[in-house]
Amino acid sequence: MLQDFSRTLEKSLSLTGLKWRFEAARTGKKFSKVVMLKTIEYQVEQVFFVHTGTGLRLIHLYHENALYTDDGDQVSAMLTVMQQFVNDSFAEGELSTIEFGEFNIYLARAPQAYLACVERGQAPSDLRTDMQIALEQMVMECADDLDAFKAGGSTEPFKKVAHYAEALLSSRYKDEGRKLSFTARLLPALLIITILG
């Protein structure tokens, strides 16, 4: 949280920050959200674990900084319908990537379930490998629950594997690895001291 605050504070005290502040006022977005959108390299915003047979979501997680969150039922239903369309229209092939505006949706599949990651920006190439590994672990740990799952059934048994999906919620900023300026490091400390004083 302090790092995000420092990033926002550093940008707000620069010429670029003033431009972004004007953009935030013009578009009605919060300044911190504009800073995030301008400085983000990638962010996995949402992760879905979906039952293949029913097309229902078993787990839906989202990043703490995600700009868009919903109940997830519409997204999982859309992904299932799109996959069925691909299967019906083409003799072979699976849907593995969907580009949707500023988002990319990556899919990893197993016979009983699939994982979908909604990502903004340009994710590292190892995201797909991480997704496949997470999916294999999830399917292995709850294979019996997946086989027994029916429409209208409880998703409670799948919470035990949510930590695998949660590990996929990651982000990287363009200025990561660059040291913050002395002013940007000093101002949050002064603000905290002032509040405590």
Side-chain angles (χ1 to χ4, degrees), residues 1 32 42 52 68 73-74 82 93 120 136 139 142 152 179 196:
M1 186 177 78
S32 60
Y42 85 90
T52 303
Y68 305 106
D73 288 330
Q74 291 178 343
M82 290 176 78
R120 174 195 305 274
E136 288 169 7
V139 168
C142 58
K179 290 192 174 187
L196 292 175

Side-chain angles (χ1 to χ4, degrees), residues 5-7 9-10 13 180-189:
F5 178 71
S6 295
R7 183 181 296 110
L9 189 59
E10 179 184 22
L13 300 174
L180 290 173
S181 68
F182 177 74
T183 307
R185 285 182 282 150
L186 182 64
L187 285 174

Side-chain angles (χ1 to χ4, degrees), residues 62-88:
Y62 52 89
H63 196 281
E64 61 187 11
N65 293 331
L67 294 182
Y68 305 106
T69 58
D70 55 28
D71 67 1
D73 288 330
Q74 291 178 343
V75 175
S76 60
M78 176 201 66
L79 293 172
T80 302
V81 168
M82 290 176 78
Q83 180 60 51
Q84 289 172 348
F85 169 76
V86 169
N87 290 342
D88 293 344

Side-chain angles (χ1 to χ4, degrees), residues 118-164:
V118 180
E119 177 265 340
R120 174 195 305 274
Q122 188 60 47
S125 58
D126 57 352
L127 175 62
R128 287 183 181 277
T129 306
D130 294 344
M131 285 176 65
Q132 195 61 48
I133 292 168
L135 178 62
E136 288 169 7
Q137 293 290 331
M138 294 168 84
V139 168
M140 189 170 54
E141 286 188 28
C142 58
D144 293 337
D145 296 321
L146 286 167
D147 290 337
F149 185 77
K150 293 183 178 18
S154 173
T155 59
E156 195 68 31
F158 303 102
K159 288 185 178 178
K160 65 185 176 193
V161 295
H163 62 279
Y164 293 112

